[in-house]
Amino acid sequence: EATARGGMIVLREASKVLGMPLKGTRIAIQGYGNVGSNAHRLAVSLLGAKVVAVSDVEGGIYNAAGLDYDSVWEHSRKTGAVRDFAEAEAVLRDRRAAVRELFGRLMLDKPYVRLFKSRDDFANLRLAVRRAVTDRPIRAGYSDQGNVPPELLEEAFEQENFESLPDYMQRAVEQAVLGYYQDKDVRRIDYVIDAVQAEYNLACARKLNSPFLTGLFKIQIDLTNIRTMLRLKFTDSEQTNVLLPGGYIELERFKQGLELGYEALTSLFFVTPYHALIETGVQYFVSNRSFLKIEQQCDRHLAGFLKTTIRITAGPQPIVAYLLAKENEIRTVRLILTAKKNSLETRLILDRIG
């Protein structure tokens, strides 16, 4: 405790000289042994600061609202590490919910809100259809942030009556079930629902007369197809019917990519906006047999598109971009925590997040 207390006193006195008040200041602590844990306690009790992040050799945790000392110390004492602290995942869920709630308040055009809430409807459907066709219990585990309450979805599946669901969900259920029973491959459920969702997104963008949304959804389709093409090549699969229509890039180009060697893909996509990300991703895959870099490059490309809204001072575009950018930040934090939990090398984590 003496070392930690001495450090906090030095910090307090230095802040006076620098004119930096410490009350409410956010602090991160690296190392959570005797010194670090006591520093956490004293930073709060002595300085009135807010400790938002702590780490040790096993990993780290973060909570923008502040980490409770007693809870973190007790967890660290019992497990020998701060990672896997349940509060961290709860914070990420709460932060995502808060971002989406803010989006709903800021977005005056409510059809935009319903459109982006439909993402959770489709996600819930994937889970519900998988459970239904494999005779597993329908209830529990659904997001409550969609347009359709989880109770209504559960009731529809239990009664096998989907008339209470919106048209886009009815269509997705029907096509997903039919797709599954073609060869009883549960992966086909995801492919079919992805296709229905992409079609629905583009239809909504046209109805809203939004070139921005149309561009966003077409880019998302292209990036999904790029990932799918590379995974199909890796597994020598000929399931080209899992490629999504509606993007900027014609499906024939992706099908041609399945027939060519990896070294020819950059040339094939040279006339498209994606040639650089494909070149980087393919080179990394050939060297490491990993899709980490193509995932990172796809995220980066989409982020670049969203940044084009910076100069727009009115309308829905910057609000949509804010939502997606914040959600991506939350996914990145979750990715890092999951990677550290599974002892993934730091080099690989950096390759993924760039």
Side-chain angles (χ1 to χ4, degrees), residues 29-223:
I29 298 175
Q30 183 176 1
Y32 210 73
N34 289 331
V35 177
S37 59
N38 278 295
H40 184 174
R41 177 174 60 83
L42 293 169
V44 177
S45 62
L46 187 65
L47 306 180
K50 181 190 296 183
V51 176
V52 298
V54 298
S55 68
D56 56 23
V57 294
E58 298 292 334
I61 55 175
Y62 169 79
N63 182 348
L67 291 165
D68 177 67
Y69 165 75
D70 291 330
S71 300
V72 177
W73 168 243
E74 183 65 15
H75 173 78
S76 176
R77 186 183 65 81
K78 288 182 177 179
T79 66
V82 298
R83 74 179 189 182
D84 299 338
F85 185 49
E87 185 180 333
E89 179 59 32
V91 166
L92 292 177
R93 290 196 301 268
D94 291 345
R95 178 52 61 96
R96 185 180 66 176
V99 167
R100 292 179 173 183
E101 181 183 355
L102 178 60
F103 172 75
R105 296 203 309 269
L106 294 176
M107 181 61 72
L108 300 179
D109 297 317
K110 295 311 174 185
Y112 280 80
V113 178
R114 290 192 292 272
L115 171 58
F116 281 92
K117 285 170 74 73
S118 72
R119 297 177 303 169
D120 285 77
D121 293 334
F122 284 110
N124 286 342
L125 271 184
R126 291 182 181 90
L127 181 57
V129 174
R130 279 173 171 263
R131 288 173 171 175
V133 299
T134 54
D135 296 322
R136 284 156 48 189
I138 292 294
R139 291 187 176 273
Y142 300 105
S143 167
D144 61 357
Q145 296 178 26
N147 295 301
V148 176
E151 315 84 65
L152 182 59
L153 178 68
E154 292 167 356
E155 182 181 345
F157 272 86
E158 287 174 347
Q159 298 180 359
E160 297 185 3
N161 184 348
F162 306 104
E163 293 182 358
S164 60
L165 301 180
D167 289 344
Y168 61 87
M169 295 184 74
Q170 292 184 40
R171 188 166 62 253
V173 171
E174 180 182 357
Q175 295 186 21
V177 172
L178 290 174
Y180 168 75
Y181 281 109
Q182 287 181 7
D183 51 16
K184 292 196 174 182
D185 183 351
V186 292
R187 293 174 299 178
R188 191 163 294 281
I189 294 170
D190 292 336
Y191 299 148
V192 171
I193 293 180
D194 284 348
V196 174
Q197 183 176 6
E199 181 184 2
Y200 174 74
N201 287 344
L202 288 173
C204 288
R206 289 192 294 269
K207 187 175 181 179
L208 292 167
N209 194 27
S210 173
F212 168 74
L213 282 183
T214 300
L216 170 65
F217 295 139
K218 282 180 172 287
I219 289 172
Q220 288 179 333
I221 289 172
D222 286 342
L223 296 177

Side-chain angles (χ1 to χ4, degrees), residues 306-317:
L306 295 176
K307 286 180 181 177
T308 61
T309 65
I310 291 176
R311 301 180 184 86
I312 301 174
T313 57
Q317 294 95 319

